[in-house]
């Protein structure tokens, strides 16, 4: 699959409220306007979802809660966009901020949003392989976890960073809060035999 002659431009957009500012990306320069709009809508929707997670917990109060939102572009090459979105909310009386963290990965030609299963050959034991590699890192780096072994789910959070697949877990899901969002970079070559040749990881090999 050929890359675009000129890579898309990432523009930072902000939502500003009393005490709060949330930054998130929007794409421009994607050859297909429909694809560009599809991706931008999904990014905006995910940002809204993160903010709504604070509201569901009762942390959003107009003029009292301060919210900070940011993003990082992890990959923007070979027609693959992968990014992370993070937000924190804090209001008087909270011992520490509430946080939310998520990721999105897209095909820049079709606008398809990738799930973890899309990266691997259908029917392959990708969750077992990923779980094995994650647990190897937990043991090697002595990462604090509630119990072992840790299991990677079929819809596990991830992002793509050049020649690595980064698996991450939500805060408090496998580790104490001070460990943040545990992240496990896995070199693509360790997954080579189960990679979907039509998926984004195959493009990252070259």
């Amino acid at each position: 699959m050929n890359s675009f002659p000129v890579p898309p431009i990432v523009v930072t957009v902000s939502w500003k409220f009393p005490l709060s500012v949330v930054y998130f990306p929007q794409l421009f320069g994607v050859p297909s306007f429909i694809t560009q709009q599809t991706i931008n809508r999904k990014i905006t929707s995910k940002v809204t979802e993160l903010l709504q997670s604070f509201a569901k917990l009762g942390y959003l109060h107009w003029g009292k809660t301060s919210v900070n939102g940011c993003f990082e572009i992890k990959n923007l090459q070979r027609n693959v966009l992968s990014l992370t979105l993070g937000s924190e909310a804090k209001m008087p009386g909270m011992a520490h901020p509430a946080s939310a963290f998520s990721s999105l990965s897209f095909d820049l030609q079709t606008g398809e949003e990738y799930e973890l299963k899309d990266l691997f050959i259908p029917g392959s034991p990708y969750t077992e392989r990923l779980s094995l590699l994650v647990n190897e890192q937990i043991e090697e780096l002595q990462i604090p976890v509630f119990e072992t072994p840790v299991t990677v789910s079929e819809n596990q959070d991830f992002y793509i960073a050049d020649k690595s697949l980064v698996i991450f877990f939500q805060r408090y899901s496998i580790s104490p809060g001070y460990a943040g969002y545990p992240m496990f970079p896995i070199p693509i070559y360790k997954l080579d035999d189960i990679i979907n040749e039509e998926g984004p990881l195959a493009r990252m090999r070259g």
Side-chain angles (χ1 to χ4, degrees):
M1 180 178 291
N2 295 325
S3 296
F4 304 141
V6 179
I9 297 171
V10 178
V11 175
T12 300
V13 178
S14 65
W15 288 341
K16 295 182 179 180
F17 312 97
L19 307 177
S20 306
V21 59
V22 177
Y23 296 101
F24 60 96
Q26 295 283 267
L27 289 184
F28 291 90
V30 177
S32 168
F33 181 75
I34 293 176
T35 296
Q36 176 177 290
Q37 291 298 92
T38 296
I39 293 173
N40 285 340
R41 281 197 299 269
K42 288 182 177 180
I43 293 173
T44 303
S45 177
K46 180 61 72 172
V47 175
T48 302
E49 180 183 314
L50 292 182
L51 296 180
Q52 287 176 339
S53 71
F54 296 141
K56 291 178 181 178
L57 294 171
Y59 293 150
L60 282 187
H61 296 276
W62 189 259
K64 294 183 179 181
T65 305
S66 62
V67 178
N68 294 301
C70 60
F71 70 91
E72 289 187 7
I73 301 299
K74 298 297 186 178
N75 188 86
L76 184 58
Q77 60 177 329
R78 301 180 186 182
N79 299 335
V80 176
L81 168 65
S82 194
L83 59 95
T84 59
L85 297 163
S87 295
E88 283 192 343
K90 186 175 178 65
M91 63 181 183
M94 292 178 67
H96 54 78
S99 63
F101 188 74
S102 190
S103 62
L104 292 167
S105 295
F106 298 100
D107 184 314
L108 287 175
Q109 287 199 323
T110 66
E112 176 187 1
E113 180 182 348
Y114 293 116
E115 298 180 11
L116 186 61
K117 63 181 177 61
D118 301 323
L119 279 52
F120 300 98
I121 297 171
S124 64
Y126 69 93
T127 56
E128 290 87 346
R129 176 75 61 82
L130 294 173
S131 296
L132 176 64
L133 294 169
V134 164
N135 282 285
E136 285 179 354
Q137 291 189 38
I138 289 173
E139 182 176 359
E140 178 182 355
L141 301 175
Q142 296 186 333
I143 297 172
V145 293
F146 295 132
E147 57 182 41
T148 56
V150 168
T151 301
V152 173
S153 66
E154 294 181 356
N155 60 344
Q156 191 68 49
D157 292 313
F158 75 93
Y159 61 83
I160 297 166
D162 194 18
K163 298 185 184 300
S164 294
L165 170 66
V166 180
I167 297 295
F168 68 92
F169 293 81
Q170 291 299 312
R171 197 170 190 176
Y172 304 107
S173 63
I174 66 169
S175 297
Y178 65 80
Y181 296 85
M183 298 190 181
F184 302 91
I186 297 173
I188 290 175
Y189 76 85
K190 291 190 175 183
L191 306 168
D192 197 61
D193 59 313
I194 57 173
I195 286 176
N196 180 356
E197 293 299 325
E198 301 300 320
L201 294 187
R203 302 180 206 168
M204 298 296 109
R205 284 196 191 112

